[in-house]
Amino acid sequence: MLIKLENVEKHYSGFHLNCTMEVPEGNVTALIGPNGAGKSTTFKALLGLIFPEAGTIELFGKPIEQVTEKDKEKLGIVLSEGFFSGYLHVEDLVPVLNHFYARFQKEEFLSRCRRFELPMGKKIKELSTGMRAKLKLLIALSHDAKVLILDEPTAGLDVLAREEILDMLREYMIPGDRSVLISSHISSDLEGLCDDFYLIDQGKIILHEETDVLLGNYGVLKVTNEQYQALDRSRILRKKRESFGYSLLTDQKQFYQENAPELSMEKGTIDETIMMMIKGEAV
Amino acid sequence: MKGLILKDWKILRRQGHHYGMALLLICAIAFVGSKNFSSFITSYLTFMITMFAISSFNYDEYENGMAFLISMPSGRRGYVSAKYIFSILLIFSGWLLGSLIRMVFFLLRFSAAEYLEILPEEPVYLSLCLIYISFVFPVLIKYGAEKGRNIAFMILLVVCIGAFLISRLKLSVSVFAWFFALLEKTPFAAALFLLGICIAVLSISYGLSLWIMKKKEF
């Protein structure tokens, strides 16, 4: 397991993180959830930026306290907030990264910068949001990292820029022995990229599912009050009151399609699942 | 760690035009000013460079950059070490440049003998700046660049007021009296004494900064 968090706890005033998750080799795992759910806190704990009060964190199979400088060179990082000083020019980063990482691939980095038309002679603070996001990811990809930890790499980007970034990540995963842990609240981005995802809300993981299973087996039933009363609710995960009756989230869509074909069924998406898991109530 | 030092160097170079202007100003003052005013050359240049070393924390904190830098392979210890190494080298270079300009000023306008008279006071400026960062760096790491800068300014203010009171009230402070006597009689021994003080204070400061950084959350 390249990344493992077990019962990691952190208390802040009005917030309590209690997180258990893992990222195996060859996987793209997403951590999704609404703003303030605990995504960034989880990332900070994983990167050693905060100190959990309980639980264990492992990176590359080692407890985080034993992770060496050499091990950290195998990490590529994008933080939602936090980057090199905006007063540095893009071209200044080349020698800096060369000294940070023994496996820095200078030519590859420069060629990618040209491919994405990053202006080398410009200050970082003068770059557009999209340019800066691309630069952050290019740096994370620049030193043959084995694991990428990406906190909101597509935040604030338009559809085209987001797609370019997702393409870069698909390209990165081609060798098969790498892993990505990515957080985003733009879940539609993740449907075509991630193998599995963890849904976090109020500091707790409330769902872990493979993306294929979610897209194939999850669905949202739209039922009236009468239909709800008559329904076999044993395979319903969450219900939500609506003006017409109820929305019901199930992880066994096929069961209801076969046994109650008259009911309206919407395909499960990550967005729909998040909404139902967070806003809905247990049946 | 080298990457962090290089990063600070690159920022300094990008902001270099400000320092270039100040250097020109100093040179101009050097060649029109009086002999007594010449101490300004070394002291101002060393202090100006010291202020850059301090402001490098501000550049790191730009848009929460500190957390990103700490996530880099060199980690917390590497960050603190890089800051001290970069700052000591930078302050030493600024002081050396100031001392050289002052030497040229004396040799061109006065005499070598007169230069030798003021030479012993030169290491004092370097020592004061190194001791100053020793006090300021742990504060900057603990409270962040913005709040820490105000505290650093307060420290400087207290030192200045203290120095003013000592000179104004002609307070007899035995340590100072002893040191200035040493400075006059055996400048080399005084320089070594200062070096020892600087190394001791910087070492304590480095240890303290590291301890603070290891406990800090981002």
Side-chain angles (χ1 to χ4, degrees), chain A residues 10 48-49 51 69 92 132, chain B residues 14 63 73 76 217-218:
Chain A
K10 182 74 184 170
L49 296 171
F51 306 112
E69 220 171 283
D92 294 337
R132 199 183 307 201
Chain B
R14 292 292 175 194
E63 293 187 0
R76 293 167 188 258
E217 295 200 323
F218 293 89

Side-chain angles (χ1 to χ4, degrees), chain A residues 10 12 44 47-51 69 72-73 77 79 81-89 91-92 95-96 99-101 123 125 132 139, chain B residues 1-4 6-7 10-11 14-15 59-60 62-76 213-218:
Chain A
K10 182 74 184 170
Y12 293 110
K44 283 180 179 178
L47 293 170
L49 296 171
I50 56 170
F51 306 112
E69 220 171 283
K72 279 177 120 184
E73 288 199 25
I77 296 161
L79 297 183
E81 290 178 355
F83 192 42
F84 285 110
S85 169
Y87 291 88
L88 284 165
H89 290 216
E91 64 196 0
D92 294 337
V96 170
H99 282 91
F100 270 133
Y101 299 105
K123 280 182 188 168
K125 68 174 186 168
R132 199 183 307 201
I139 288 172
Chain B
M1 190 175 71
K2 275 189 206 163
L4 289 165
L6 194 60
K7 177 245 338 150
K10 291 281 179 188
I11 293 175
R14 292 292 175 194
Q15 304 300 312
Y59 290 109
D60 289 347
Y62 183 86
E63 293 187 0
N64 293 319
M66 190 82 98
F68 178 74
L69 295 172
I70 297 301
S71 309
M72 295 276 107
S74 43
R76 293 167 188 258
M213 181 55 100
K214 282 186 172 171
K215 292 190 172 301
K216 186 167 177 161
E217 295 200 323
F218 293 89

Side-chain angles (χ1 to χ4, degrees), chain B residues 49-215:
Chain B
I49 288 294
T50 303
M51 291 318 284
F52 176 80
I54 290 169
S55 70
S56 69
F57 284 90
N58 273 74
Y59 290 109
D60 289 347
E61 282 192 0
Y62 183 86
E63 293 187 0
N64 293 319
M66 190 82 98
F68 178 74
L69 295 172
I70 297 301
S71 309
M72 295 276 107
S74 43
R76 293 167 188 258
R77 178 182 286 275
Y79 181 85
V80 173
S81 304
K83 262 313 171 222
Y84 275 80
I85 292 171
F86 173 74
S87 301
I88 292 168
L89 289 176
L90 190 69
I91 292 168
F92 180 78
S93 308
W95 168 79
L96 193 64
L97 183 64
S99 300
L100 287 174
I101 295 173
R102 196 179 181 195
M103 184 181 77
V104 171
F105 161 81
F106 260 87
L107 295 181
L108 287 180
R109 294 188 56 195
F110 304 99
S111 65
E114 283 172 294
Y115 174 67
L116 287 174
E117 272 176 32
I118 59 98
L119 187 59
E121 74 185 60
E122 294 288 66
V124 175
Y125 305 123
L126 175 66
S127 311
L128 286 177
C129 288
L130 290 177
I131 290 168
Y132 181 55
I133 62 160
S134 302
F135 280 99
V136 169
F137 277 15
V139 174
L140 290 171
I141 290 170
K142 170 83 180 165
Y143 296 103
E146 210 48 53
K147 212 192 283 180
R149 199 169 46 178
N150 295 335
I151 299 172
F153 180 72
M154 295 296 285
I155 293 172
L156 185 65
L157 200 65
V158 168
V159 170
C160 290
I161 292 170
F164 174 77
L165 288 177
I166 286 169
S167 67
R168 198 72 181 166
L169 301 173
K170 299 197 187 325
L171 292 175
S172 162
V173 181
S174 57
V175 176
F176 288 122
W178 172 81
F179 177 69
F180 283 115
L182 184 70
L183 198 64
E184 269 183 29
K185 281 181 197 163
T186 51
F188 183 69
L192 274 182
F193 173 76
L194 274 181
L195 183 69
I197 296 274
C198 285
I199 290 172
V201 176
L202 278 168
S203 303
I204 294 167
S205 168
Y206 172 75
L208 185 61
S209 293
L210 202 57
W211 183 74
I212 294 168
M213 181 55 100
K214 282 186 172 171
K215 292 190 172 301

Side-chain angles (χ1 to χ4, degrees), chain A residues 155-221:
Chain A
L157 301 184
D158 60 41
V159 181
L160 290 176
R162 288 204 324 253
E163 200 48 48
E164 277 184 305
I165 282 183
L166 297 176
D167 280 344
M168 273 195 256
L169 292 176
R170 287 185 193 106
E171 207 178 297
Y172 167 80
M173 288 303 290
I174 290 172
D177 61 343
R178 297 164 162 181
S179 297
V180 177
L181 173 62
I182 182 170
S183 84
S184 177
H185 55 262
I186 309 169
S187 45
S188 55
D189 284 353
L190 304 175
E191 287 180 357
L193 177 75
C194 297
D195 298 294
D196 63 338
F197 70 91
Y198 288 83
L199 175 57
I200 189 167
D201 185 42
Q202 293 177 9
K204 287 191 181 66
I205 301 290
I206 56 171
L207 181 71
H208 174 216
E209 192 57 274
E210 287 178 22
T211 312
D212 288 346
V213 172
L214 181 133
L215 297 177
N217 298 357
Y218 281 57
V220 178
L221 288 159

Side-chain angles (χ1 to χ4, degrees), chain A residues 83-133:
Chain A
F83 192 42
F84 285 110
S85 169
Y87 291 88
L88 284 165
H89 290 216
V90 180
E91 64 196 0
D92 294 337
L93 298 179
V94 177
V96 170
L97 292 168
N98 207 14
H99 282 91
F100 270 133
Y101 299 105
R103 295 170 69 91
F104 177 61
Q105 296 155 327
K106 185 180 166 187
E107 292 312 318
E108 181 83 16
F109 176 72
L110 289 172
S111 122
R112 280 177 172 162
C113 285
R114 280 192 293 274
R115 186 171 131 205
F116 290 103
E117 297 174 343
L118 289 173
M120 301 301 285
K122 239 183 177 181
K123 280 182 188 168
I124 293 171
K125 68 174 186 168
E126 289 166 358
L127 298 180
S128 67
T129 312
M131 288 284 188
R132 199 183 307 201

Side-chain angles (χ1 to χ4, degrees), chain B residues 9-27:
Chain B
W9 171 244
K10 291 281 179 188
I11 293 175
L12 174 68
R13 281 190 59 193
R14 292 292 175 194
Q15 304 300 312
H17 52 282
H18 300 304
Y19 298 95
M21 291 294 285
L23 191 63
L24 278 176
L25 182 73
I26 288 167
C27 289

